[in-house]
Amino acid sequence: MPMNPQLQKKLLNHLPQFGLNPKDWCLQKINCRNYLLKNRHDEDLCLWGEVQEGNAGDWQDLQWLSV
């Protein structure tokens, strides 16, 4: 699914709230509320992200998919 570049930047900029460096992650939009985050240096490190409903650009939850 295509992603709005401004939204992508906003979501990446909020990753430090979870202790993550935005430069280390790339986003893949799954649907309007869910994203797959893959580490740029180790693709085995993946997170599942969910954004808050009605507040695009703020993470509601991040969960590890694989480590």
Side-chain angles (χ1 to χ4, degrees):
M1 253 184 139
M3 185 184 307
N4 177 328
Q6 292 174 327
L7 176 58
Q8 180 177 4
K9 183 177 180 181
K10 189 174 182 182
L11 289 171
L12 286 171
N13 286 338
H14 286 155
L15 288 179
Q17 296 173 359
F18 297 90
L20 302 171
N21 183 344
K23 294 178 182 176
D24 293 338
W25 299 91
C26 59
L27 299 179
Q28 179 182 350
K29 186 174 184 176
I30 304 301
N31 59 38
C32 63
R33 291 196 57 204
N34 296 291
Y35 295 82
L36 179 65
L37 293 86
K38 286 191 176 185
N39 187 279
R40 294 182 188 276
H41 310 289
D42 183 353
E43 289 194 11
D44 289 336
L45 294 176
C46 296
L47 292 151
W48 183 262
E50 183 177 348
V51 295
Q52 294 180 6
E53 188 172 358
N55 194 5
D58 291 329
W59 294 108
Q60 178 175 327
D61 188 35
L62 290 177
Q63 297 179 14
W64 288 105
L65 286 180
S66 62
V67 182

